[in-house]
Amino acid sequence: WLANKPFALTFAASQSLLDAATKHRIRTPVGMYNLGNTCYKSAVLQCLVHCQPLQRFFLKENGHHHNACRLYRQREASKRKKKKTAIKPEESICLACEMDKLYLSYYGSTIGVDVRGAVEEACDRESSDTEMDEALERGDPLVISEMLTASWKSGGMNSLASYKQHDSHEFMNSFLEMVGRQTKLHWARVHSAINSVRSDNAVVGDATENEHDIVKTLFEGSLSSVLLCEECGTKRKRTEEFLNVSLSLSEEVARMQSANGPKKSELSVETCLERFVMPE
């Protein structure tokens, strides 16, 4: 199968020589070109790329293979075209696929190999004519134009579809929501395709959709708040899910200054979290 795919074969051979601690790990930062006020996006993507659980999901576990997802989306789009129904944005654009390609490109730049090209060649069953970037050097910055275009066309970030500067926090929230939704949708397609052959297939199992939502698994938490009446002692508890928590830095700085006087104190996320959960 790989005999006529020299680049894929060479890359697979080089990976087999790496130990488990080195394989599928991004250890060296690589820059991203600014495409006109896109630094807010690059900052978020850099943080996500270096999140090790996400690295394992995309690079080691093939949690969302962009070629497989593309085939499923093309098949669904073809069915809708025959029925003359509108094609949904998630059937033409997938940000989880763009993340998968970003990880491959990023990893390739850190080792000086066109990893994405090697994977594309391996997935092409008909020929070995895949274009490879043989001039790729270790540490070459990435051009995130595909990611930029996909985020604009995804349908979930219309407010960010411009060359203006935007808020990183707003982009991260919208981006993670879309990636989580599309990884879960891809799992549902795979599950449906396998079960259409055999409903009791042991490979799929009975895992819930949330177990395949990598964003929900890694980033979502639940916040419980209790309201206590000082007069009668009645308690009312409320639990809500969140992807991020807003911590008050100014209040924490003021509290530390009042406690320690003019002496400078170290400000940390832990101290801000402790203050956040203090009874009011």
Side-chain angles (χ1 to χ4, degrees):
W1 170 47
L2 288 177
N4 296 323
K5 303 178 186 299
F7 297 108
L9 185 61
T10 301
F11 173 67
S14 65
Q15 288 295 291
S16 67
L17 300 176
L18 300 177
D19 55 37
T22 306
K23 192 183 299 185
H24 311 120
R25 291 284 300 276
I26 294 176
R27 295 182 172 274
T28 307
V30 173
M32 296 180 184
Y33 283 110
N34 193 332
L35 304 179
N37 292 324
T38 58
C39 50
Y40 73 95
K41 181 173 294 186
S42 298
V44 172
L45 293 176
Q46 287 282 12
C47 292
L48 294 178
V49 163
H50 289 278
C51 177
Q52 292 188 13
L54 280 179
Q55 287 184 25
R56 288 194 297 270
F57 178 80
F58 283 101
L59 293 177
K60 183 178 181 180
E61 301 169 1
N62 285 327
H64 190 99
H65 199 299
H66 66 275
N67 276 314
C69 181
R70 175 177 54 82
L71 291 175
Y72 280 116
R73 287 187 285 112
Q74 286 178 345
R75 186 175 65 176
E76 290 188 359
S78 178
K79 290 180 180 179
R80 287 187 176 275
K81 189 174 181 180
K82 290 179 180 179
K83 295 179 181 179
K84 296 183 179 180
T85 57
I87 298 176
K88 299 179 181 179
E90 58 265 25
E91 292 173 354
S92 58
I93 300 293
C94 178
L95 293 184
C97 287
E98 297 305 320
M99 275 299 290
D100 185 52
K101 291 186 282 188
L102 178 65
Y103 268 104
L104 293 175
S105 299
Y106 205 107
Y107 181 63
S109 182
T110 62
I111 62 177
V113 176
D114 186 4
V115 175
R116 181 177 166 186
V119 171
E120 296 288 353
E121 184 188 59
C123 294
D124 187 354
R125 298 191 172 215
E126 297 181 358
S127 66
S128 58
D129 297 331
T130 305
E131 294 185 5
M132 299 288 294
D133 187 1
E134 299 184 60
L136 182 66
E137 295 185 6
R138 184 175 299 181
D140 276 356
L142 303 182
V143 179
I144 58 171
S145 56
E146 290 184 352
M147 176 71 77
L148 181 66
T149 303
S151 64
W152 286 356
K153 294 183 177 180
S154 63
M157 288 185 278
N158 295 332
S159 61
L160 302 175
S162 70
Y163 284 102
K164 297 179 180 179
Q165 182 64 268
H166 294 285
D167 182 65
S168 294
H169 184 249
E170 181 185 359
F171 168 73
M172 183 185 71
N173 286 342
S174 301
F175 183 76
L176 288 178
E177 180 183 355
M178 294 290 293
V179 170
R181 184 190 312 166
Q182 289 162 341
T183 54
K184 188 166 61 174
L185 180 59
H186 177 60
W187 173 84
R189 289 167 176 154
V190 174
H191 186 277
S192 175
I194 296 177
N195 278 351
S196 65
V197 178
R198 182 176 177 181
S199 59
D200 59 345
N201 196 304
V203 176
V204 179
D206 297 323
T208 62
E209 289 186 357
N210 287 339
E211 292 183 42
H212 295 268
D213 184 345
I214 187 62
V215 172
K216 187 179 184 70
T217 301
L218 294 181
F219 298 100
E220 188 172 271
S222 58
L223 178 66
S224 295
S225 57
V226 179
L227 184 63
L228 175 63
C229 178
E230 296 182 351
E231 295 293 332
C232 64
T234 301
K235 293 182 180 180
R236 186 174 64 184
K237 184 178 180 180
R238 183 179 64 178
T239 302
E240 52 188 342
E241 298 177 342
F242 67 90
L243 281 179
N244 49 74
V245 175
S246 298
L247 302 177
S248 176
L249 294 178
S250 57
E251 292 183 8
E252 178 60 19
V253 170
R255 185 191 67 81
M256 295 177 69
Q257 288 177 344
S258 63
N260 302 310
K263 182 181 178 180
K264 292 185 178 180
S265 301
E266 184 178 352
L267 184 65
S268 66
V269 175
E270 288 78 9
T271 57
C272 292
L273 282 172
E274 289 174 0
R275 179 168 180 80
F276 181 78
V277 298
M278 286 176 60
E280 296 182 355

